[in-house]
Amino acid sequence: MLYATLKLIHLLALIVWIGGMVFAHFFLRPAAQTLPPALRVPLMLGVLQRFFAAIGAAVVLVLGTGLWMIGRVAKEAVQSGGQFSMPLSWTVMATLGLVMMAIFGHIRFALFKRLQRAAAASDWAAGGQALASIRTWVVVNLWIGVAIVAVVRLA
């Protein structure tokens, strides 16, 4: 029961993360593009601030539950006298998941700081550049997330 609950938490956190990237990239961004920079940059700053807080929590949940589930399966294998060999799909998922977390860290702690500074200075051009950089890395993370889902579901 605990394993199933942790797996559910793991999946729900990933749905928030990947679904949020889909929403932001394909729906929010195009609508916000119609606004002048003086409105668009503060809007995106506020949205991203809230989204990144949720993703920060999602990262902690995904990492914690993922490590626990792998550890639990490894422990059960060893306790039953067997040997644990992590499936290739789990290895790909864990590796790419860590890459996604590193990219999120770059977005949150480097690129988002640029956006915050630009918005505070009312430098809409710099804000637009920061948003473009964030968008590029969000798209990379989105593709990695979709690849992880494909690998796990097709394995």
Side-chain angles (χ1 to χ4, degrees):
M1 180 68 174
L2 179 59
Y3 186 91
T5 302
L6 291 175
K7 190 171 186 178
L8 176 63
I9 291 167
H10 191 82
L11 291 171
L12 291 174
L14 289 168
I15 289 168
V16 168
W17 191 356
I18 295 171
M21 290 188 293
V22 167
F23 172 77
H25 183 70
F26 292 107
F27 303 100
L28 177 62
R29 186 187 61 82
Q33 289 290 96
T34 65
L35 298 172
L39 295 176
R40 180 176 62 245
V41 171
L43 169 69
M44 293 304 292
L45 176 69
V47 169
L48 291 175
Q49 190 165 1
R50 289 168 181 83
F51 179 60
F52 291 163
I55 300 314
V59 164
V60 169
L61 290 171
V62 167
L63 186 59
T65 57
L67 288 172
W68 190 92
M69 288 186 291
I70 291 169
R72 176 70 181 193
V73 171
K75 180 181 175 184
E76 287 176 359
V78 170
Q79 285 178 338
S80 68
Q83 196 173 19
F84 176 68
S85 179
M86 195 155 89
L88 178 60
S89 63
W90 289 17
T91 303
V92 170
M93 175 177 47
T95 302
L96 291 178
L98 291 172
V99 170
M100 283 183 71
M101 291 174 197
I103 290 171
F104 170 70
H106 174 65
I107 292 169
R108 173 62 184 88
F109 298 110
L111 302 179
F112 187 66
K113 294 291 185 193
R114 288 184 204 160
L115 178 60
Q116 288 176 313
R117 285 192 300 272
S122 299
D123 185 348
W124 309 129
Q129 290 173 342
L131 283 169
S133 295
I134 290 170
R135 177 178 45 104
T136 297
W137 284 107
V138 165
V139 169
V140 170
N141 247 6
L142 178 56
W143 279 111
I144 293 170
V146 169
I148 292 170
V149 171
V151 165
V152 172
R153 290 307 313 149
L154 295 175

